[in-house]
Amino acid sequence: MYGDEATIRRILTELGDTWAVVGLSTNRSRAAYGVAQVLQRFGKRIVPVHPKAETVHGERGYASLADIPFEVDVVDVFVNGELAGPVADEAVTKGARAVWFQLGVVDEAAFERTRAAGLDMVMDRCPAIEIPRLG
């Protein structure tokens, strides 16, 4: 419901390889850490976005999407549901081409706003699960 196969495939294969990973820090026990590694393994450039602006997996971090001095293609959101909607709005402002809310992150109003702004969006899915399925 929150991401048909065609949209998932388009985000993963056609919309670009620079992924801002919101919520990514050096905390190895967080899902974002492992998912970012998988994205890198499949050729994506990850950009950590976290208030601490830490370097993760060799990539410089930024405190917010607005602080990133270059374009990002996809914004991958690893924050809880209450914070996810504003991140989707920031992705629209930043000029991203797609927004991906991770497993368990659902905000239907943000989904509607983001799609209305012309971005592709997936919710409650994980790219680390979906990429290997592409074949």
Side-chain angles (χ1 to χ4, degrees), residues 5 17 25 28-29 35 41 48-49 55-56 60 65 68 71-72 89 92-93 117 119:
E5 294 304 314
D17 291 332
S25 70
R28 293 171 181 261
S29 68
V35 171
R41 203 163 48 245
V49 179
T55 296
V56 184
R60 177 182 171 194
L65 287 174
I68 301 172
E71 291 183 9
V72 297
D89 296 337
V92 170
T93 301
L119 282 71

Side-chain angles (χ1 to χ4, degrees), residues 57-107:
H57 302 312
E59 293 286 348
R60 177 182 171 194
Y62 297 89
S64 71
L65 287 174
D67 290 341
I68 301 172
F70 48 84
E71 291 183 9
V72 297
D73 301 308
V74 181
V75 176
D76 190 5
V77 182
F78 279 93
V79 298
N80 69 40
E82 295 95 49
L83 301 174
V87 173
D89 296 337
E90 290 173 34
V92 170
T93 301
K94 177 72 178 161
R97 301 172 76 191
V99 175
W100 191 298
F101 280 8
Q102 283 295 322
L103 290 172
V105 181
V106 174
D107 181 331

Side-chain angles (χ1 to χ4, degrees), residues 3-14 120 122 134:
D4 60 87
E5 294 304 314
T7 300
I8 290 168
R9 180 173 292 278
R10 187 169 47 255
I11 292 172
L12 292 173
T13 64
E14 298 174 21
D120 279 330
V122 171
L134 294 178

